Amino acid sequence: MSEHKIDRRAMKTRKAIFEALAALLCEKELRKITIQEISDKADVHRVTIYKHFMDIYDIYEKLEKVILSEIGLLITEYGTKTTFEVYPVMFKYITDNPTIFKMIFSPHNTSTLYMKLMNMVEGLNRVIWSETFGVDIKDSRVDCVIRYHSNGCLAIIAGWVLNDFAQSQDFIIKTLSGLDKSTQQYFATMLK
């Protein structure tokens, strides 16, 4: 058997384990999840899990790194484009990975992943707003508006995800784009 096939199989197994943990984190806290539950949900043997990971916390840590890496790549690739260009790409990624995002926003999940995601979004906004408005991002007024904007965007996305994508993607994109525009207008007025 070629090494390429082994790598693909290992990647598929790890993805199943990640998906199983994410699904379980939508239902209960990490400390209450067992390897057996992950094994059952992922349809892999416990021994297989231990071939890839040391324990549940190792699975979670590696899952977190994968998620942040993928989102980071999206932000890097699309970060400086307009919201009408960025939002469709971001929302496609979210809808392609619904279990992961339900886990991120789940009240059962640790807040560390959410906070790391928030920091990424705030960092992106600081770069974009600094370039767009030519402001000092260390200004406390600028900091407040960026935090408000970032938290608001993630709160809307969280509500959409946790309500099983009840509204259309277009509705959420238009709503966020409108709020972005209002916030940026306020921001520009504040700087005068």
Side-chain angles (χ1 to χ4, degrees), residues 92-105:
K92 179 173 181 351
Y93 179 75
I94 292 169
T95 56
D96 286 349
N97 299 283
T99 306
I100 297 296
F101 281 90
K102 285 181 182 182
M103 176 207 65
I104 291 171
F105 299 123

Side-chain angles (χ1 to χ4, degrees), residues 10 12 19 44 48 56 59 70 76 81 104 107 136 152 155 173 175 186 189 192:
K12 187 176 178 181
E19 285 284 327
V44 297
T48 304
I56 290 172
I59 300 169
E70 288 177 357
T76 302
K81 298 186 190 255
I104 291 171
D136 178 7
I173 289 171
T175 301
Y186 168 78
T189 304
K192 289 181 181 177

Side-chain angles (χ1 to χ4, degrees), residues 101-176:
F101 281 90
K102 285 181 182 182
M103 176 207 65
I104 291 171
F105 299 123
S106 169
H108 302 294
N109 192 10
T110 68
S111 62
T112 59
L113 180 55
Y114 181 85
M115 291 309 297
K116 289 175 182 177
L117 180 60
M118 174 59 66
N119 289 336
M120 287 177 74
V121 171
E122 282 183 15
L124 170 65
N125 281 329
R126 287 180 201 291
V127 169
I128 291 172
W129 291 35
S130 173
E131 291 174 1
T132 302
F133 296 104
V135 295
D136 178 7
I137 57 173
K138 294 177 184 171
D139 182 322
S140 60
R141 295 174 307 157
V142 173
D143 185 62
C144 286
V145 173
I146 288 172
R147 286 179 189 273
Y148 171 81
H149 178 262
S150 301
N151 277 284
C153 287
L154 279 181
I156 289 170
I157 293 169
W160 181 60
V161 169
L162 293 175
N163 287 311
D164 292 319
F165 310 99
Q167 299 91 2
S168 73
Q169 185 173 316
D170 287 340
F171 172 81
I172 299 297
I173 289 171
K174 286 178 184 173
T175 301
L176 284 174

